[in-house]
Amino acid sequence: MQIITQKGLHGNRSPFGAYISRDFPKLVGGLTAAEKTALKKAVSENYQQYNAEILELKKKYEMKMRSILSKEKRDKVNELMGEPFLWLHTIK
């Protein structure tokens, strides 16, 4: 039941989208205006930090993969691919 609830609340929104879902207030017994405002702000702030941390992890492991290659091949990969970045679908 918990998985179904999480999936339903999050949908295709951000990882914290459940907290700003239209259905969230009625599931928790209502939210005050202050709670709604605070949750919106927290979702926005935490989402930015979340993305930054995921990008750092991706870079860390991407560099580990590249480090296996010879310098010449690593340079070629760096030229072809550049800096690691997050695809939009990976951050939801």
Side-chain angles (χ1 to χ4, degrees):
M1 190 61 174
Q2 292 171 338
I3 292 171
I4 291 169
T5 300
Q6 286 187 45
K7 181 68 177 156
L9 287 174
H10 283 289
N12 288 325
R13 295 176 295 277
S14 76
F16 312 113
Y19 300 98
I20 55 174
S21 165
R22 287 184 185 150
D23 297 328
F24 186 73
K26 59 186 157 190
L27 290 173
V28 298
L31 292 174
T32 66
E35 288 172 327
K36 287 179 185 178
T37 300
L39 281 172
K40 264 187 162 175
K41 182 179 178 189
V43 166
S44 176
E45 291 170 354
N46 286 301
Y47 186 60
Q48 291 174 7
Q49 183 63 35
Y50 171 85
N51 285 338
E53 289 178 22
I54 287 178
L55 180 56
E56 285 306 310
L57 278 173
K58 184 176 188 318
K59 284 181 181 180
K60 174 184 172 181
Y61 290 102
E62 182 82 25
M63 292 305 138
K64 281 186 177 189
M65 299 304 118
R66 294 180 189 190
S67 72
I68 294 168
L69 303 170
S70 68
K71 177 162 176 22
E72 295 80 22
K73 290 177 184 170
R74 188 169 50 248
D75 289 345
K76 183 67 174 176
V77 168
N78 289 340
E79 180 183 324
L80 289 169
M81 295 173 51
E83 280 288 310
F85 67 94
L86 292 178
W87 293 89
L88 290 178
H89 71 278
T90 62
I91 58 177
K92 291 188 174 188

